[in-house]
């Protein structure tokens, strides 16, 4: 709900309030972002400047106490007495212009104010407040948009040049706000196969910046970040979350002033940025997302998850179950033909997969990553019946068909490049900067966008394709406004291809999570989190992303062990258990599996399908877990699923209690550990304790048994009240040496369990 009274503006929902006012001099003074309050509280919430601070700079000495430098603001000027970081920079030729925007008027309308520039934006906003400000000396109009989405609000800015001169915008943030208090900044940083690692930095006097300049939102610094008040934890305290509906270079900063105001802002990165603002032209920023929770990080994540699932994901896929997929990449790489694929597909189907994804290598001369990118004609040596024929065969098996593309890039060794070398991005007078043997196509050019739309459309029309993996495997060489225009070009292409095909499930990917952002999620309901599928690493990657993004949008696959990037051998059960907390897939050579492993995968998929709604759309929380463990939970009306993941197992493990959350204290629940199994071979020499007869642990008998038989592990089935489960229940013992007991958890290092917790009917 949005209300306005005597120059005070109030966005109010059940969990938060956002309050600001226009001061007498027309500055927008920020009053409060936090727990719900009343609009009448404005005077009580306003900062009292008293006699003002020494050295105040003000256009009105009589009003010196209200100097812009010490006022909490909603937007800042330049060169007009606010010496903190400015949220904008406008130049006239090579002269930077001072700016001081003052309140002019406002408008409230139902729903969302549509962006005109082709940037994607969240759908289904409740109400929008547009506050117009004008500069006293320059013919510039600034409109700040605030949209109430219930769980969160969004902000964006539009700057209109009302003069007859061409100006340039070097910086224009989507939003800026000054919060009173001390905060810790959490960012999600990394690189290829190490995305979304959580880092915490105190916000103090020196400015801290979260920025990408690679041309894309990047795996280096996710655009989403958090600010937490002192003492905030997963389930308590004040936490703010911020994000940007944008896939290009982004920038956010936080800095605490001497007076204790923390200025935070976010928008397109100003690095080398310079956009032309023609007379009458408007520069629109991407939409920024602002969320508050008084219930800690988990509360904040819940607000962000609800927003992404309900307002960012394309309408046709909102809360629509994601299929269990099999992807041929890690199992086959470029080495496949139709026979091999169909053999894998047959196995995938038997194990319960619903969608078969044919990854890289199906077109042109694409037999390695050195050639063929850009030529989307099917390789008939590999697929003699074409894509249509192959899709038909899959349909015969009962599988849907999904296909990989990397339409934004081109190999110099390709027909496309030979025909149109100028379509790739080059830097005049300089050598090309190649990456994975590819260059980016210049999506700023209409001809290039048309080519991509036409070539991808032709393929999509040639077969019954239900899923597309849209990959992009390099960084850009474009900077500033050129990089921004590229991103606008990308959105144009995605809109033209997929808007008419809302039922195609688009999964975007950029060497894993190099473009895991809200802009891409406006088109693709899921994103491949990382090329790293080691479950221990995924706990960090998916765990990091979980602060801002819901499980439904995280592509999470089970791959082979030992893992290709870490050489770590992890139990198949754990590889499954971690991937369950995402959009589940399998990406390994199914033919190389032992029969016991194939059976286990079948059981995993059946389990996941039976609980898919809860896994994909249930309320997610990070649980308090014993030292060295990770706990995740998802909760729906029907059930609670809690996963506990261990690292290295010590000898003589201590006693631990596991805590879940969100249950009803007085109700009684049944708790069952998901049935898991152990490989006989995992016991090595210890097998002598399991077998009534003497066997050689390296002998053919045991090798055969290892492939065929599995031992039950960690059987747990008990009831308890919600109060007991939330206080902490004692799980079955871990392996403590030599013996085997089917009721203990014997998985050793990197073991894990999923508990299914459902209400006992007829009990109180
Ligand atoms: C990227 C993706 C992988 C796979 C390969 C194919 O690395 O992240 O998942 O699709 O490209 O070349």
């Amino acid at each position: 709900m949005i209300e306005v009274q005597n120059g005070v503006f109030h966005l109010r929902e059940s969990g938060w309030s956002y309050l600001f006012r226009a001061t007498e001099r027309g500055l927008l003074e920020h009053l409060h972002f936090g727990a719900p309050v009343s609009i009448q509280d404005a005077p009580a919430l306003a900062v009292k400047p008293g006699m003002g601070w020494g050295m105040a700079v003000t256009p009105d000495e009589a009003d010196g106490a209200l100097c812009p430098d010490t006022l909490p603001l909603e937007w800042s000027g330049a060169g007009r007495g606010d010496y903190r970081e400015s949220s904008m920079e406008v130049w006239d030729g090579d002269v930077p212009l001072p700016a001081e925007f003052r309140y002019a008027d406002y408008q409230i309308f139902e729903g969302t104010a549509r962006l005109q520039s082709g940037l994607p934006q969240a759908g289904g906003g409740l109400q929008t407040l547009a506050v117009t400000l004008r500069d006293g000396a320059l013919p510039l109009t600034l409109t700040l948009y605030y949209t109430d989405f219930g769980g969160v609000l969004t902000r964006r800015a539009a700057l209109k040049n009302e003069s007859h001169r061409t100006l340039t915008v070097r910086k224009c943030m989507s939003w800026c706000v000054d919060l009173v208090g001390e905060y810790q900044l959490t960012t999600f940083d990394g690189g290829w196969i190490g995305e979304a690692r959580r880092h915490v930095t105190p916000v103090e006097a020196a400015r801290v910046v979260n920025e990408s300049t690679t041309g894309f939102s990047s795996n280096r610094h996710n655009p989403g970040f958090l600010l937490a008040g002192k003492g905030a934890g997963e389930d308590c305290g004040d936490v703010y979350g911020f994000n940007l509906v944008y896939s290009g270079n982004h920038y956010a900063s936080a800095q605490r002033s001497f007076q204790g105001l923390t200025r935070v802002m976010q928008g397109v990165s100003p690095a080398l940025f310079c956009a032309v603002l023609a007379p009458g032209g408007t520069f629109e920023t991407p939409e920024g997302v602002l969320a508050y929770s008084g219930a800690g990080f988990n509360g904040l994540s819940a607000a962000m998850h609800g927003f992404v699932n309900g307002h960012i994901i394309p309408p046709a896929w909102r809360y629509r179950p994601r299929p269990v997929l099999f992807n041929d990449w890690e199992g086959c790489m470029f080495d496949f033909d139709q026979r091999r694929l169909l053999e894998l597909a047959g196995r995938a189907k038997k194990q319960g997969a619903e969608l078969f994804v044919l990854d890289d290598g199906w077109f042109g001369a694409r037999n390695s990553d050195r050639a063929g990118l850009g030529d989307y004609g099917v390789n008939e040596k590999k697929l003699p019946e074409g894509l249509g024929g192959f899709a038909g065969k899959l349909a015969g098996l009962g599988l849907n068909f999904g296909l990989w593309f990397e339409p934004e890039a081109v190999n110099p060794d390709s027909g496309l490049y030979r025909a149109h070398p100028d379509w790739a991005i080059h830097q005049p007078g300089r050598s090309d900067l190649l990456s994975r043997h590819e260059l980016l196509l210049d999506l700023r050019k209409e001809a290039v966008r048309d080519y991509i739309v036409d070539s991808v459309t032709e393929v999509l029309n040639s077969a019954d394709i239900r899923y597309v993996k849209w990959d992009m495997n390099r960084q850009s060489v474009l900077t500033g406004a050129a990089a921004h225009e590229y991103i606008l070009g990308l959105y144009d292409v995605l809109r033209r291809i997929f808007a008419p095909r809302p039922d195609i499930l688009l999964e975007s990917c950029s060497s894993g999570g190099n473009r895991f952002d809200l802009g891409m999620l406006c088109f693709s309901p899921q994103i491949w989190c990382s090329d790293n599928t080691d479950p221990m690493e995924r706990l960090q990657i998916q765990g990091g992303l979980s602060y801002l993004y819901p499980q439904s949008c995280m592509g999470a696959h089970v791959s082979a062990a030992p893992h290709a990037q870490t050489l770590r051998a992890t139990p198949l059960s754990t590889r499954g258990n971690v991937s369950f907390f995402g959009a589940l897939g399998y990406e390994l050579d199914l033919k190389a599996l032992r029969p016991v492993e194939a059976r286990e995968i079948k059981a995993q998929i059946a389990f996941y399908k039976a609980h898919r709604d809860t896994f994909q759309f249930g309320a997610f929380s990070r649980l308090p877990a014993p030292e060295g463990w990770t706990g995740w939970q998802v909760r729906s009306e029907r059930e609670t699923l809690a996963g506990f993941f261990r690292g290295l197992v010590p000898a003589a493990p201590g006693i631990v209690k596991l805590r879940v959350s969100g249950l009803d204290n007085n109700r009684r629940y049944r708790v069952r550990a998901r049935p898991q199994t152990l490989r006989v071979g995992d016991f090595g020499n210890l097998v002598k304790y399991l077998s009534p007869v003497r066997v050689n642990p390296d002998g053919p008998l045991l090798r055969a048994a290892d492939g065929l038989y599995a031992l039950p592990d960690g059987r747990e089935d008990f009831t308890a009240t919600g109060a007991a489960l939330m206080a902490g229940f004692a799980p079955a013992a871990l392996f403590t040496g030599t013996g085997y007991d089917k009721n203990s958890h014997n998985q050793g290092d990197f073991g894990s369990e999923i508990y299914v917790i459902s209400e006992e009917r007829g009990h109180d």
Side-chain angles (χ1 to χ4, degrees):
M1 185 182 77
I2 298 178
E3 48 183 352
V4 184
Q5 246 176 50
N6 306 326
V8 179
F9 300 90
H10 188 200
L11 284 85
R12 183 177 199 278
E13 285 300 332
S14 58
W16 55 272
S17 269
Y18 191 100
L19 208 71
F20 62 97
R21 70 178 175 191
T23 66
E24 273 173 35
R25 283 204 301 121
L27 292 175
L28 285 192
E29 180 186 0
H30 177 76
L31 296 173
H32 171 79
F33 183 23
V37 294
S38 144
I39 196 164
Q40 274 87 34
D41 293 329
L45 293 165
V47 168
K48 312 295 181 298
M51 304 294 285
W53 297 83
M55 292 196 73
V57 173
T58 165
D60 178 1
E61 289 218 278
D63 195 10
L66 286 178
C67 109
D69 202 31
T70 51
L71 205 61
L73 293 173
E74 288 286 297
W75 190 260
S76 70
R80 295 291 299 162
D82 180 359
Y83 294 101
R84 296 167 293 173
E85 183 181 0
S86 175
S87 41
M88 64 178 296
E89 231 182 81
V90 178
W91 291 55
D92 183 354
D94 53 7
V95 181
L97 299 174
E100 185 182 34
F101 285 97
R102 296 187 184 205
Y103 172 71
D105 53 35
Y106 78 93
Q107 221 188 328
I108 292 179
F109 36 95
E110 296 309 306
T112 315
R114 298 314 300 171
L115 277 154
Q116 304 301 313
S117 54
L119 285 162
Q121 87 187 105
L126 301 169
Q127 272 184 311
T128 298
L129 164 69
V131 181
T132 306
L133 302 110
R134 293 212 172 81
D135 186 274
L138 293 170
L140 276 179
T141 302
L142 175 73
T143 309
L144 302 182
Y145 293 92
Y146 297 78
T147 302
D148 176 4
F149 280 89
V152 309
L153 76 138
T154 64
R155 282 189 59 181
R156 63 183 181 87
L159 186 64
K160 184 164 186 202
N161 179 1
E162 317 259 16
S163 79
H164 298 293
R165 298 174 64 82
T166 294
L167 303 174
T168 51
V169 178
R170 297 208 178 179
K171 177 179 184 182
C172 186
M173 293 288 102
S174 294
W175 57 269
C176 170
V177 72
D178 293 329
L179 302 169
V180 179
E182 286 179 46
Y183 299 99
Q184 304 262 2
L185 171 77
T186 305
T187 54
F188 301 92
D189 319 278
W192 178 63
I193 64 173
E195 295 87 343
R197 303 295 157 113
R198 192 158 64 99
H199 293 107
V200 179
T201 316
V203 179
E204 290 173 352
R207 187 184 301 163
V208 279
V209 166
N210 186 54
E211 183 179 24
S212 158
T213 52
T214 64
F216 303 107
S217 53
S218 89
N219 46 25
R220 299 174 185 215
H221 305 287
N222 194 281
F225 65 100
L226 312 167
L227 281 184
K230 279 225 154 129
E234 284 292 2
D235 295 303
C236 64
D238 288 336
V239 180
Y240 299 91
F242 306 103
N243 212 339
L244 200 63
V245 187
Y246 189 56
S247 313
N249 290 335
H250 61 86
Y251 175 90
S253 69
Q255 184 172 26
R256 197 158 169 262
S257 72
F258 181 57
Q259 287 80 17
L261 295 176
T262 295
R263 171 158 291 182
V264 207
M265 62 179 74
Q266 187 175 33
V268 173
S269 166
L272 305 176
F273 194 84
C274 189
V276 174
L277 195 57
T282 299
F283 180 80
E284 281 189 328
T285 71
E287 187 172 33
V289 185
L290 295 84
Y292 161 81
S293 169
F297 292 98
N298 277 324
L300 193 279
S301 299
M304 285 296 195
H305 291 193
F307 172 68
V308 174
N309 276 328
H311 300 283
I312 289 286
I313 299 301
W317 284 93
R318 285 185 194 153
Y319 296 103
R320 178 163 161 189
R322 314 288 197 259
V324 176
L325 64 82
F326 172 82
N327 178 306
D328 75 325
W329 176 247
E330 285 197 20
C332 300
M333 302 261 154
F334 292 101
D335 179 20
F336 61 83
D337 57 18
Q338 176 162 300
R339 240 193 44 200
R340 183 162 184 212
L341 295 179
L342 287 175
E343 146 110 70
L344 287 170
R347 288 170 190 266
K349 173 67 190 172
K350 258 195 218 139
Q351 275 151 23
E354 296 156 315
L355 171 75
F356 184 95
V357 179
L358 175 53
D359 209 281
D360 198 353
W362 57 267
F363 50 87
R366 186 78 174 161
N367 296 314
S368 78
D369 59 13
R370 293 182 168 272
L373 201 56
D375 305 334
Y376 292 104
V378 71
N379 179 329
E380 285 175 359
K381 267 200 196 139
K382 293 181 184 171
L383 297 166
E385 297 171 56
L387 291 172
F390 180 59
K393 291 255 158 47
L394 289 178
L397 288 170
L399 282 168
N400 285 331
F401 177 39
L403 196 59
W404 181 95
F405 294 86
E406 190 181 346
E408 297 164 65
V410 63
N411 285 127
D413 184 0
S414 66
L416 177 67
Y417 189 81
R418 281 183 282 275
H420 300 283
D422 55 316
W423 281 7
I425 299 173
H426 306 283
Q427 293 168 308
R430 296 176 189 280
S431 54
D432 285 333
L433 292 176
L434 284 149
S435 177
R436 212 185 179 215
H437 322 291
E438 63 191 44
L439 293 168
L440 280 184
L441 291 170
D442 195 343
L443 270 67
R444 294 172 300 169
K445 294 186 170 148
E446 206 177 332
V448 171
R449 295 200 298 274
D450 289 348
Y451 169 78
I452 295 176
V453 172
D454 292 346
S455 59
V456 174
T457 300
E458 198 183 318
V459 176
L460 295 182
N461 290 343
S462 74
D464 186 7
I465 294 170
R466 305 286 180 92
Y467 161 110
V468 166
K469 180 171 170 188
W470 184 287
D471 209 343
M472 197 288 296
N473 285 313
R474 60 160 298 163
Q475 315 290 20
S476 185
V477 291
L478 297 177
T479 55
H484 179 62
E485 282 163 27
Y486 177 100
I487 295 294
L488 294 177
L490 167 64
Y491 292 144
D492 173 56
V493 162
L494 289 171
R495 198 171 281 124
R496 281 163 62 190
I497 298 174
F498 295 103
R501 299 175 177 79
D503 289 322
I504 290 187
L505 173 60
L506 183 61
E507 175 155 1
S508 75
C509 169
S510 179
S511 293
N514 186 41
R515 243 177 6 194
F516 205 110
D517 60 66
L518 296 180
M520 293 312 288
L521 285 172
C522 283
F523 299 92
S524 65
Q526 58 193 57
I527 300 182
W528 182 225
C529 303
S530 176
D531 282 350
N532 185 343
T533 46
D534 177 311
M536 292 299 109
E537 302 261 319
R538 276 293 180 124
L539 285 176
Q540 293 184 52
I541 297 168
Q542 291 171 223
L545 292 170
S546 76
Y547 282 84
L548 294 153
Y549 304 96
Q551 322 79 270
S552 59
C553 70
M554 296 186 205
H557 297 180
V558 171
S559 62
H563 190 260
Q565 285 137 4
T566 60
L567 261 191
R568 186 169 17 237
T570 51
L572 180 53
S573 50
T574 294
R575 282 175 270 152
N577 291 343
V578 172
S579 303
F580 292 163
F581 288 87
L584 178 67
Y586 286 78
E587 193 165 336
L588 70 176
D589 185 356
L590 297 176
K591 213 179 158 192
L593 294 177
R594 295 174 172 83
V596 275
E597 293 173 311
R599 284 205 298 276
E600 179 163 348
I601 288 180
K602 189 170 181 180
Q604 287 183 353
I605 295 179
F607 176 80
Y608 181 77
K609 284 180 178 168
H611 303 278
R612 174 170 12 207
D613 269 7
T614 311
F615 275 125
Q616 293 184 352
F617 302 109
F620 177 91
S621 35
R622 293 164 298 271
L623 296 171
E627 182 73 32
W629 298 49
T630 301
W632 288 347
Q633 174 183 290
V634 282
R635 204 158 56 77
S636 64
E637 276 188 8
R638 185 162 68 98
E639 61 188 357
T640 296
L641 307 170
F644 290 96
F645 307 91
R646 291 181 290 282
L648 297 180
V649 169
I655 290 165
V656 295
K657 297 246 176 125
L658 303 181
R659 294 169 63 182
V660 298
S661 69
L663 303 181
D664 185 328
N665 271 328
N666 301 317
R667 293 198 185 272
R668 217 167 167 82
Y669 295 86
R670 179 158 181 207
V671 182
R672 274 166 297 179
R674 177 177 84 84
Q676 293 184 164
T677 52
L678 283 175
R679 273 180 44 199
V680 174
D682 283 346
F683 278 80
N685 247 320
L686 296 176
V687 80
K688 61 187 174 219
Y689 294 100
L690 309 182
S691 165
V693 291
R694 263 176 86 181
V695 284
N696 173 1
D698 287 328
L701 185 65
L702 261 184
R703 273 211 302 278
D706 185 29
L708 292 172
Y709 304 109
L711 299 162
D713 184 53
R715 294 290 144 103
E716 287 184 83
D717 190 344
F718 60 93
T719 68
T721 59
L725 297 173
M726 293 192 291
F729 66 93
L734 298 182
F735 180 74
T736 42
T738 57
Y740 163 74
D741 167 7
K742 71 174 182 323
N743 297 319
S744 304
H745 294 290
N746 300 299
Q747 295 166 83
D749 290 345
F750 319 118
S752 62
E753 288 80 43
I754 302 266
Y755 292 96
V756 179
I757 304 169
S758 45
E759 222 176 279
E760 279 267 280
R761 300 283 162 203
H763 288 268
D764 272 338

